[in-house]
Amino acid sequence: MWCRRLACLLSVPCQHTRHHLLGLSCGRRTFTAAVARWHHTAPESLSCAWQLHGDHLELRYANTLMRFDFVWLRDHCRSASCYNAKTNQRSLDTASVDLSIRPKAVRVDETTLFLTWPDGHVTRYGLQWLVKNSYEGQKQQVMHPRILWNAEIYRQAQVPSVDCRSFLETDEGLKEFLQNFLLYGIAFVENVTPTKEDTQILAERISLIRETIYGRMWYFTSDFSRGDTAYTKLALDRHTDTTYFQEPCGIQVFHCLKHEGTGGRTLLVDGFYAAEQVLRQAPDQFELLSKVPLKHEYIENVGDCHNHMIGVGPVLNVYPWNNELYLIRYNNYDRAVINTVPYDVVNRWYTAHRTLTTELRRPENELWVKLKPGKALFIDNWRVLHGREAFTGYRQLCGCYLTRDDVLNTARLLGLQA
């Protein structure tokens, strides 16, 4: 272990100055410094060191330089009086913490940071826990591991479909399916009985069904029974669904029950792969697409269906701490009037949107699949765009939307990172 044990207490007399007198006692000797300086767990070790400032603690460990606000360090205490380990919930009342709190003493050994507060309470943090949960550590971590793909990459991966019986009856089959889904954003289940009822059983294996204005489980034909281009025989360009929801549906399930005719292949495009190309070629355009909020709108007045839905959000949605993309909201059919940014931003947005659209429409990025009875397709609607070619004859699909949180919950319970 490169981080050797040293019991060092630090006395902090001043609350307001950024650089202050430090009292460092080791054994019987006490050293005093006029400015903040680094302290190591052993004099010859530079791998684990810490330093106090006026309002935060700096810690260098595992090649990571971290900064922790004092209130944060008190608020996240995992002691029995501050955190309920049985429920994994905070017990400490955050509003009771003095916003100018400072530790009275600090000690670091090989694995643990110890903080003694003015009231005598002691907080202990594992150094590895701090690396994992610090802002600096999170910047280096990927929330959702993925394999970005174009058509050739996906074909070469030879991602297997999962048999329906294995999917429904074994954790191994379910885990294999979810691993494929998390990595690629799409996954297939074979040998499904081609009925709406059996498709529902399949969907409920991994999630609650999200009921929307389209119901829970729906049949999908070209009878224009809803005020949507999807309910025709026309070709559909690539898009994500329910962009007009404040939170677009997370997962979409398609199962072709019958097709007596030609055409109708399904188009799949990895939106994250296309966005990655934009980030490499024009990072300023990627940033603009992640900053400009847009309205998407669904207005329906067909038969008994009367709806007016509005969702607001940028085309690209990223986690701000590591710039990781987690949601693409792309639907040219349902994008409403652009009136959320001033005129001098609009043209730059159109340029960025054109760059992304060009990537999404590259033929090499298009994966075409023919959905047939018995083969169900699950799509990550926050990542993968879908469309279809025009078709003839009678074509009936069934499907539903799933709640994203429940799918990810199922994956985590099976030991997957999600």
Side-chain angles (χ1 to χ4, degrees):
M1 177 66 70
W2 49 261
C3 189
R4 301 187 184 127
R5 181 179 183 84
L6 179 66
C8 295
L9 298 180
L10 184 66
S11 176
V12 185
C14 176
Q15 295 190 30
H16 305 292
T17 58
R18 181 171 179 83
H19 297 294
H20 46 271
L21 292 177
L22 298 179
L24 180 63
S25 63
C26 298
R28 296 182 179 178
R29 296 192 298 169
T30 299
F31 304 93
T32 306
V35 296
R37 64 184 179 86
W38 287 103
H39 303 280
H40 307 284
T41 51
E44 68 275 16
S45 172
L46 297 178
S47 298
C48 180
W50 53 271
Q51 180 178 210
L52 281 182
H53 292 278
D55 59 358
H56 70 281
L57 168 74
E58 275 188 321
L59 178 69
R60 185 171 64 231
Y61 179 78
N63 298 316
T64 303
L65 178 62
M66 300 165 281
R67 296 175 178 85
F68 298 100
D69 177 82
F70 291 145
V71 178
W72 186 99
L73 287 167
R74 183 64 188 89
D75 179 50
H76 289 82
C77 180
R78 266 25 187 184
S79 68
S81 62
C82 298
Y83 189 80
N84 189 326
K86 291 183 178 180
T87 64
N88 295 296
Q89 291 177 303
R90 179 181 286 102
S91 302
L92 175 68
D93 177 15
T94 303
S96 70
V97 178
D98 183 354
L99 295 179
S100 61
I101 195 169
R102 297 170 52 81
K104 183 172 66 174
V106 176
R107 180 167 65 90
V108 180
D109 69 12
E110 291 181 340
T111 62
T112 309
L113 167 69
F114 300 85
L115 300 154
T116 302
W117 302 102
D119 62 357
H121 184 83
V122 177
T123 294
R124 299 170 178 82
Y125 289 114
L127 297 179
Q128 289 289 356
W129 187 93
L130 288 172
V131 171
K132 179 181 178 182
N133 290 285
S134 67
Y135 171 73
E136 294 80 6
Q138 282 293 310
K139 285 179 67 175
Q140 302 174 35
Q141 295 182 35
V142 174
M143 287 284 290
H144 308 288
R146 298 183 176 95
I147 297 176
L148 306 186
W149 52 268
N150 59 18
E152 183 61 23
I153 292 173
Y154 186 83
R155 291 192 186 99
Q156 288 186 358
Q158 297 182 332
V159 184
S161 298
V162 175
D163 179 75
C164 180
R165 185 170 182 178
S166 176
F167 176 89
L168 291 175
E169 299 179 4
T170 72
D171 285 346
E172 292 75 18
L174 180 60
K175 186 174 182 178
E176 180 185 5
F177 167 87
L178 286 169
Q179 183 68 85
N180 293 341
F181 180 82
L182 294 172
L183 290 177
Y184 295 97
I186 56 174
F188 296 89
V189 180
E190 300 271 13
N191 302 315
V192 183
T193 304
T195 68
K196 185 173 74 170
E197 292 73 23
D198 285 280
T199 307
Q200 178 174 338
I201 293 172
L202 199 73
E204 290 177 334
R205 169 73 162 134
I206 61 171
S207 170
L208 296 174
I209 293 174
R210 178 173 175 178
E211 187 161 4
T212 68
I213 58 174
Y214 304 105
R216 294 184 75 251
M217 296 291 300
W218 34 258
Y219 281 119
F220 197 84
T221 64
S222 55
D223 59 1
F224 202 67
S225 59
R226 303 300 298 262
D228 194 297
T229 312
Y231 288 78
T232 70
K233 296 181 180 181
L234 301 174
L236 287 176
D237 193 21
R238 63 225 69 200
H239 64 280
T240 58
D241 271 16
T242 60
T243 54
Y244 41 80
F245 286 7
Q246 280 298 96
E247 180 184 306
C249 293
I251 288 86
Q252 184 162 26
V253 182
F254 284 124
H255 186 192
C256 181
L257 304 181
K258 182 183 295 186
H259 184 198
E260 300 168 347
T262 61
R265 289 182 305 162
T266 295
L267 168 65
L268 300 168
V269 178
D270 186 354
F272 287 7
Y273 179 89
E276 179 70 17
Q277 309 314 306
V278 176
L279 179 61
R280 291 178 180 177
Q281 299 165 19
D284 56 329
Q285 295 183 9
F286 180 97
E287 182 178 11
L288 190 66
L289 291 171
S290 70
K291 299 293 186 185
V292 174
L294 298 175
K295 296 177 183 177
H296 288 77
E297 191 171 38
Y298 180 73
I299 301 173
E300 178 183 34
N301 288 291
V302 176
D304 295 329
C305 301
H306 304 284
N307 295 290
H308 189 175
M309 310 289 291
I310 297 177
V312 182
V315 174
L316 303 179
N317 296 257
V318 301
Y319 295 126
W321 61 88
N322 64 357
N323 212 37
E324 179 182 342
L325 183 62
Y326 68 87
L327 164 64
I328 181 169
R329 189 191 294 249
Y330 185 99
N331 191 317
N332 207 52
Y333 298 102
D334 296 325
R335 180 166 46 79
V337 175
I338 301 177
N339 54 18
T340 53
V341 288
Y343 82 95
D344 56 333
V345 178
V346 170
N347 190 262
R348 291 193 295 120
W349 182 88
Y350 276 118
T351 300
H353 184 266
R354 183 68 52 84
T355 301
L356 175 61
T357 300
T358 299
E359 291 299 326
L360 291 170
R361 290 181 176 176
R362 290 190 187 280
E364 59 267 30
N365 293 338
E366 300 178 343
L367 179 67
W368 290 93
V369 297
K370 181 70 173 180
L371 297 182
K372 299 179 180 179
K375 185 174 185 175
L377 167 63
F378 289 69
I379 302 174
D380 183 345
N381 187 56
W382 283 21
R383 170 183 174 181
V384 175
L385 287 69
H386 65 279
R388 69 153 187 253
E389 65 179 352
F391 64 92
T392 65
Y394 180 77
R395 182 175 183 259
Q396 185 186 58
L397 278 74
C398 76
C400 61
Y401 294 115
L402 304 181
T403 57
R404 185 177 190 81
D405 288 336
D406 289 310
V407 173
L408 299 183
N409 176 54
T410 302
R412 293 185 193 111
L413 292 175
L414 290 171
L416 299 173
Q417 184 177 347

